[in-house]
Amino acid sequence: PHISTLGVHESVDEVFPAAVFRDALADAGPSVEIVDSDDDLTALDALVTFEYEEYFLDAGLDWIHSIQAGVDRFPFDALQERGIALTNSTGIHGDVVGETAVGLMLSFARRLHAHRSNQERGEWVKPAWDDAFPLRRESACVVGLGTLGRGIATRASALGMDVTGVKRTPTPVDGVDEVYPPEDLHDAIADARFVALAVPLTDDTEKMMSTPEFEAMRDDAYVINVARGPVVDQSALVDALDASEISGAGLDVFETEPLPADSTLWDRDEVILTPHAAGFNEEYYERVATIVRENLRRQREGESLTNRVV
Ligand code: NDP
Ligand code: 7N6
């Protein structure tokens, strides 16, 4: 179908200004307009959005583009029934999320989070002699080896770490010494100092990290979650931290976001929380615009869409 009018849903403001994104697409072909949840979408052919709202389904759209890689909130069957194509933004976060995940590992190893907390109290406190450790020769297991997982694996490897990983098709991945299938998850995580989660949220991955997995992990290990909150059984994680089954956690995503004020995760020395910000960067809008521009070209030339999910 020919796309002559493209909407930009105001919810993209959560990640970048809608107007900056609209201007980046000014020469892309279609007329581009910012819409909000009160606007009638029926004049649009396609919509770029952060949130999913039910009224998108019956607006006669041909195509919805998600500015996130994770599209777990979209109803695939309902989109399919109405013939609405859904594309996502996988492919654009490997470097920044890789830097965030490995930054969390660096913080735990070099105690940066502890120093910052002491700074806020105006306290000069040295770490205990055996608190800090070198990352060289430590091991990381990266669960999910797509854009995010590879971004994490190459950076962990560059710091001298031994890297293993998990994915359903256990084919070799550069910089990853051994790739395990999901049924061998316990073997994969058992020796790792860091277990970094980078899978999409699906029926298979929901709560894939729960009590048995935390028990399988080393007592001095850290879990890093930059995937989706429900990939971790959050109450099992709290129990594992309380029981010292693992040492700590670096968490960018949570079962409920924003993380409720009464969550016991807020106030723990060995938990670093980031507000679903691992992917944030000043180039985000331009990276999404590149995918959208490419798909507009493909639509014009009758080619199949890239990053197509439905
Ligand atoms: P990709 O599709 O590139 O990678 C997903 C990887 O997960 C693939 O290697 C896939 O391999 C693997 N995988 C899928 N299912 C399973 C499973 N059941 N067990 C083990 N491995 C599995 O996606 P991205 O790397 O771009 O993003 C991954 C997810 O991370 C997104 O869906 C999103 O939820 C989240 N995300 C979070 C961000 C943040 O800001 N915190 C930013 C970007 C993404 P295979 O098919 O072989 O199993
Ligand atoms: C906005 C979050 C994704 O799935 O959740 C992330 O792509 C992006 C920076």
Side-chain angles (χ1 to χ4, degrees):
H2 180 68
I3 305 292
S4 59
T5 321
L6 176 75
V8 177
H9 194 254
E10 60 170 357
S11 60
V12 304
D13 279 334
E14 298 257 349
V15 187
F16 46 71
V20 170
F21 181 74
R22 177 197 58 202
D23 295 348
L25 287 178
D27 58 356
S31 78
V32 185
E33 59 184 80
I34 297 170
V35 294
D36 66 33
S37 300
D38 300 324
D39 286 333
D40 180 8
L41 306 186
T42 50
L44 301 177
D45 300 312
L47 184 68
V48 177
T49 188
F50 175 74
E51 299 286 2
Y52 165 73
E53 294 189 30
E54 220 173 287
Y55 80 107
F56 294 172
L57 287 179
D58 298 311
L61 297 165
D62 293 321
W63 167 36
I64 297 177
H65 179 78
S66 158
I67 69 162
Q68 295 185 286
V71 283
D72 43 273
R73 53 174 136 195
F74 286 85
F76 296 173
D77 292 345
L79 290 163
Q80 172 102 47
E81 277 163 26
R82 289 163 179 80
I84 306 172
L86 175 67
T87 53
N88 74 3
S89 294
T90 190
I92 66 170
H93 310 91
D95 57 351
V96 288
V97 176
E99 287 169 12
T100 303
V102 172
L104 290 164
M105 296 177 195
L106 278 164
S107 184
F108 288 123
R110 306 310 314 143
R111 316 307 299 155
L112 304 180
H113 59 306
H115 298 320
R116 178 71 205 201
S117 297
N118 290 327
Q119 180 185 342
E120 275 162 13
R121 292 189 285 264
E123 288 175 6
W124 178 273
V125 185
K126 306 262 193 200
W129 71 274
D130 57 353
D131 272 352
F133 54 94
L135 281 184
R136 182 167 162 272
R137 298 220 184 97
E138 289 294 351
S139 48
C141 176
V142 183
V143 183
L145 287 166
T147 298
L148 259 55
R150 288 166 204 243
I152 299 167
T154 52
R155 285 163 182 78
S157 171
L159 290 172
M161 302 175 72
D162 295 327
V163 182
T164 63
V166 180
K167 65 183 176 81
R168 288 171 303 181
T169 327
T171 46
V173 175
D174 282 349
V176 181
D177 301 328
E178 189 163 2
V179 180
Y180 295 82
E183 52 273 25
D184 294 341
L185 178 66
H186 286 206
D187 290 339
I189 64 180
D191 294 329
R193 190 72 189 265
F194 297 99
V195 174
L197 306 173
V199 285
L201 175 59
T202 64
D203 290 345
D204 289 340
T205 63
E206 185 169 359
K207 297 196 175 171
M208 81 188 287
M209 292 299 294
S210 189
T211 305
E213 288 69 37
F214 296 126
E215 284 172 1
M217 284 171 66
R218 287 164 49 169
D219 294 352
D220 64 354
Y222 295 83
V223 65
I224 309 283
N225 189 8
V226 289
R228 281 290 182 270
V231 172
V232 171
D233 179 340
Q234 205 167 284
S235 73
L237 170 65
V238 167
D239 291 345
L241 291 166
D242 286 341
S244 301
E245 287 289 351
I246 62 171
S247 267
L251 306 172
D252 187 54
V253 287
F254 303 89
E255 272 175 2
T256 304
E257 295 179 12
L259 182 66
D262 63 357
S263 169
T264 99
L265 287 171
W266 282 105
D267 196 24
R268 286 168 188 262
D269 290 343
E270 289 308 294
V271 174
I272 302 177
L273 307 182
T274 53
H276 201 148
F280 269 69
N281 74 93
E282 62 182 6
E283 291 176 9
Y284 202 112
Y285 78 95
E286 185 50 48
R287 295 179 182 198
V288 175
T290 301
I291 300 174
V292 171
R293 241 185 252 116
E294 169 64 10
N295 273 337
L296 288 166
R297 184 196 67 74
R298 289 179 181 223
Q299 296 260 12
R300 271 195 304 274
E301 295 178 15
E303 296 173 21
S304 54
L305 298 179
T306 187
N307 283 26
R308 184 147 184 188
V309 183
V310 174

